[in-house]
Amino acid sequence: MELFISIFVATIVAATPLVFAALGELVVEKSGVLNLGIEGMMLVGAAFGVWAHFAGLSMPVALLTAVLSGAVVSLLFGVLALTFMTNQYAAGLALAIFGTGVSAFVGRGFGSTPVEAIQPLHFPVLSDIPVIGPMLFQFDPLVYFSFVMFALVTWFLYRTKAGLALRAIGESPDSAHAIGYPVIKIRYLAVMFGGAMAGLGGAYLSLVYTPLWVENMTAGRGWISLALVVFAAWRPLRVMIGAWLFGGMTILQLQGQAMGVSVPSEVLSALPYLATIVVLVLISQNRKAMALDFPVSLAQPFRPRG
Amino acid sequence: MLFKVEARQEPSRKMALAAPLIATGLTVVISSLFFLSLGLNPFVTLYTFFVQPLTTMNGISEWLLKASPLILIACGLAVAFRANVWNIGAEGQLIMGAIAAAGVGLFSPFQESIFLLPLMVVCGMLAGAAWAAIPAFLKARMNTNEILVTLMLTYVATLILSYLVHGPWRDPDGFNFPQTALLPYAGMFEVFDYSYRLNTSIFFTVVAVILAWLFMERSFLGYKMAVGGVAPAAARFAGFKSSSSIWVGLLVSGATAGLAGMTEVSGPLGQLSSQISPGYGFAAIIVAFIGRLNAFGIVLGGLLLSLLYLGGETVQLSLGLPSSIALIFQGMLLFFLLASNFLINFRIRAIAVRAH
């Protein structure tokens, strides 16, 4: 039971950076834009979060710095993809490379200095309930915030007029433009939201999860977040489920390494990546489910006429 | 004064040539500002970055040595990208090529045979192509996104390499360093001059550039693939199969990446270690775009990116700047390049505003 609880808790925590980044990308893709640069934006968020922390700023301000840095760096992609109408694949890759470089530059000198991580909360009474207490009421605030963001994103996309506009733009920017929606402006906002969320996901890694700055510390989580959005067939709840699955995979392989399973550690480390491939293959089989919520205009440049 | 953006009737040839120059110029300007903000003299820094590396024979040898794998990989990638096949995992294919070549070099019975090197070339290319065949199969048969699969396989390839050099392939006399024994002499490319590292493997790159040009500009299959990339519906109508584009694009780019890995092992490295490439597979994506997916453009792009690597090392050594600067410049260059490509298809016109 102890082991089960600890694996459960660790899974939710490991999934949290993926939840942030993938929910952000979900909104971006729903607006018809494909930003491949999540890995770079996460790293930028992680590095600026640590930088702000060591600059003596309080934890909330450090997180805010990470969020802002993610949003700002996403604008580089936004300008290219939306204003200059470049190939979105190439612009996203440029952001991934650029973000990796910027983060390594900003984070230099902070390597291996541990961060005073954000501590788990302790609710009176609730946290002390056996089993349920440790499983539900002893997380750090950001884990709860990731659930809040999930609820907000779902509500926004499916229950608000702005969300409807965003989805309409993702389906058919020309029609949306004809009705009078500001396509480019809404796409810019979506891209910045995606950047902010990726920045937060990165900061979660460097300020809570690890918690210290290591070059390239995201280790492919940005790309896995992209895969999660595909896996989720562009639906928020499935993004969450996917993130937990991958979180669980990460934790199981770490557990396996800790328990000294007689397989090389590299085999275990490769599991999350291989699982991503397997899951992608399985989900791509169901073309109908994939097409249902797929934003039709994804990755196609849009230029308003007239 | 106001500015208005107009679509051009047809793409401007002048701008197609000017765009990379504009992008390079902007990168230099912005990086000067960046150096200024760090309190460095931008002229000294830029000189150290872009000129000093080329002032010695050794520098020029290193320049070509680094440009060679970049150009080689980018030629393969251009074939894929033209067909809208997004192989982002050339780094992984490079690693698999290097592993296969080193495996043959170290453990095959032909240690002193003149056939060792050709065998390593073939195995390196096959391994790279095989690693790329996985996403090709999944894309062509299972409709699975190749971007994500090629990338995930890059992480897997890195782990395989790490396993080998930490485990079964580790040099028993290597003081526990994570690296293999040195390759036999027969498995190494000749250097042109014993003072420098530039070696004969550069001829592969020259041949690859020519072949890539012939394939993309002069062959029917290359034409079919390009049509499929630009106008998939038209290609389907004409009966061109998209699955053959996927296969050819990925296998060709995988093979060139694998060959690049092999030339690194049989060239400057001489053995496998846990770090065998400074991100050539990723940088080659930028090279392919800088070269506008054209074989000869790629040569220039490769020389430019190689200079960025070299400059990064030089400023690290002589000015104490972190090598991550090279990565920042790479990203910035690609940003500016993509932005200036806009000028090829659009024109910005100043329009006078009448006073009321």
Side-chain angles (χ1 to χ4, degrees):
Chain A
M1 200 60 203
E2 282 291 299
L3 184 66
F4 172 75
I5 293 175
S6 77
I7 289 182
F8 175 85
V9 169
T11 296
I12 300 288
V13 170
T16 299
L18 297 174
V19 168
F20 283 128
L23 279 177
E25 179 70 10
L26 176 73
V27 172
V28 180
E29 293 194 15
K30 271 292 185 187
S31 80
V33 180
L34 178 66
N35 185 354
L36 293 184
I38 308 182
E39 186 83 3
M41 301 189 294
M42 283 182 90
L43 281 168
V44 166
F48 272 94
V50 167
W51 171 80
H53 174 76
F54 284 116
L57 298 168
S58 69
M59 205 39 105
V61 181
L63 287 170
L64 194 65
T65 313
V67 166
L68 287 177
S69 66
V72 167
V73 82
S74 77
L75 273 178
L76 291 173
F77 166 84
V79 170
L80 282 179
L82 303 176
T83 301
F84 288 115
M85 293 172 280
T86 55
N87 181 315
Q88 293 181 7
Y89 294 104
L93 284 172
L95 180 56
I97 293 168
F98 182 74
T100 310
V102 169
S103 70
F105 185 76
V106 170
R108 76 195 193 285
F110 298 134
S112 62
T113 318
V115 169
E116 288 164 47
I118 301 174
Q119 289 306 313
L121 294 176
H122 190 92
F123 300 99
V125 188
L126 287 176
S127 301
D128 300 323
I129 306 171
V131 186
I132 298 176
M135 277 175 73
L136 298 180
F137 299 109
Q138 290 185 14
F139 288 111
D140 60 83
L142 282 171
V143 170
Y144 297 109
F145 187 64
S146 74
F147 283 86
V148 172
M149 285 315 293
F150 160 68
L152 275 178
V153 165
T154 313
W155 171 77
F156 168 79
L157 282 177
Y158 297 101
R159 291 278 179 276
T160 67
K161 221 183 147 197
L164 180 66
L166 180 117
R167 284 186 294 136
I169 287 168
E171 290 303 320
S172 169
D174 289 308
S175 324
H177 176 69
I179 310 171
Y181 286 131
V183 173
I184 300 291
K185 190 177 138 195
I186 290 181
R187 284 187 166 175
Y188 260 109
L189 292 173
V191 165
M192 286 177 70
F193 176 74
M197 291 287 273
L200 185 56
Y204 188 81
L205 284 174
S206 63
L207 295 178
V208 184
Y209 190 75
T210 309
L212 50 91
W213 166 254
V214 185
E215 236 176 78
N216 272 323
M217 64 185 305
T218 47
R221 285 186 181 80
W223 301 105
I224 290 180
S225 306
L226 270 168
L228 278 178
V229 179
V230 180
F231 163 75
W234 294 274
R235 272 171 285 182
L237 181 60
R238 291 182 57 162
V239 167
M240 298 295 278
I241 296 170
W244 293 329
L245 279 177
F246 283 105
M249 191 62 90
T250 316
I251 294 310
L252 283 181
Q253 64 98 351
L254 285 177
Q255 278 285 340
Q257 292 192 17
M259 297 194 307
V261 179
S262 61
V263 212
S265 66
E266 285 89 357
V267 174
L268 293 168
S269 303
L271 281 180
Y273 306 115
L274 293 172
T276 307
I277 297 176
V278 171
V279 162
L280 277 173
V281 170
L282 291 178
I283 193 72
S284 342
Q285 294 313 295
N286 193 345
R287 291 184 196 222
K288 241 184 219 158
M290 289 286 282
L292 204 61
D293 286 71
F294 175 74
V296 178
S297 74
L298 190 67
Q300 284 161 16
F302 170 74
R303 178 159 194 258
R305 303 194 182 280
Chain B
M1 280 288 256
L2 271 177
F3 294 99
K4 193 170 173 248
V5 173
E6 289 178 345
R8 289 182 195 272
Q9 295 288 332
E10 53 188 277
S12 156
R13 291 198 146 241
K14 235 187 276 172
M15 272 302 166
L17 292 176
L21 298 178
I22 296 176
T24 311
L26 283 171
T27 306
V28 169
V29 171
I30 300 293
S31 44
S32 312
L33 295 177
F34 177 70
F35 289 134
L36 263 181
S37 74
L38 291 176
L40 298 162
N41 180 339
F43 294 106
V44 173
T45 324
L46 284 174
Y47 177 83
T48 320
F49 209 107
F50 292 105
V51 184
Q52 192 182 320
L54 302 183
T55 51
T56 61
M57 267 313 279
N58 184 48
I60 289 174
S61 148
E62 291 293 302
W63 184 39
L64 297 175
L65 184 77
K66 284 180 168 38
S68 176
L70 288 170
I71 295 169
L72 187 56
I73 303 169
C75 280
L77 289 178
V79 170
F81 290 170
R82 279 198 179 200
N84 238 340
V85 173
W86 296 93
N87 178 5
I88 308 300
E91 184 80 2
Q93 293 138 24
L94 178 150
I95 291 172
M96 295 312 281
I99 289 176
V104 171
L106 291 169
F107 306 114
S108 77
F110 316 110
Q111 296 285 307
E112 276 156 38
S113 158
I114 50 158
F115 295 111
L116 183 64
L117 196 61
L119 190 65
M120 288 169 71
V121 168
V122 171
C123 289
M125 289 177 78
L126 284 179
W131 205 239
I134 302 171
F137 173 77
L138 295 179
K139 172 82 174 176
R141 285 297 190 77
M142 310 279 189
N143 189 32
T144 308
N145 184 310
E146 77 280 20
I147 298 181
L148 295 168
V149 176
T150 48
L151 247 154
M152 293 299 130
L153 286 177
T154 297
Y155 289 101
V156 176
T158 314
L159 288 166
I160 294 176
L161 174 67
S162 157
Y163 166 69
L164 290 174
V165 297
H166 283 96
W169 285 13
R170 180 159 60 189
D171 181 8
D173 311 319
F175 305 104
N176 261 343
F177 280 113
Q179 58 195 28
T180 63
L182 287 173
L183 287 173
Y185 181 75
M188 298 286 292
F189 286 108
E190 281 300 324
V191 289
F192 290 109
D193 181 312
Y194 283 102
S195 319
Y196 311 118
R197 299 200 296 170
L198 188 65
N199 59 64
T200 47
S201 72
I202 199 164
F203 292 125
F204 281 107
T205 302
V206 175
V207 172
V209 169
I210 296 166
L211 285 180
W213 183 81
L214 285 173
F215 180 78
M216 291 192 287
E217 316 287 343
R218 290 288 177 269
S219 80
F220 186 52
L221 181 59
Y223 173 74
K224 282 203 289 194
M225 288 175 66
V227 173
V230 178
R236 262 198 308 280
F237 188 69
F240 303 162
K241 270 209 203 116
S242 69
S243 67
S244 59
S245 286
I246 295 167
W247 278 106
V248 174
L250 277 159
L251 290 183
V252 168
S253 51
T256 52
L259 179 58
M262 182 271 161
T263 59
E264 283 297 293
V265 168
S266 290
L269 300 177
Q271 68 191 140
L272 278 186
S273 61
S274 54
Q275 258 282 322
I276 53 167
S277 154
Y280 285 146
F282 294 111
I285 299 171
I286 303 180
V287 170
F289 277 107
I290 292 179
R292 318 190 52 74
L293 306 185
N294 168 295
F296 297 112
I298 284 170
V299 174
L300 298 177
L303 290 172
L304 181 60
L305 259 268
S306 154
L307 187 55
L308 281 187
Y309 270 116
L310 218 53
E313 284 172 12
T314 321
V315 292
Q316 190 180 11
L317 286 175
S318 60
L319 300 172
L321 289 171
S323 60
S324 50
I325 283 191
L327 222 50
I328 298 182
F329 282 9
Q330 283 180 17
M332 197 152 60
L333 188 65
L334 187 52
F335 277 132
F336 285 129
L337 184 90
L338 293 170
S340 28
N341 278 356
F342 179 75
L343 295 171
I344 299 171
N345 291 309
F346 294 91
R347 104 175 78 224
I348 298 170
R349 269 238 289 249
I351 47 175
V353 181
R354 239 174 296 164
H356 288 283

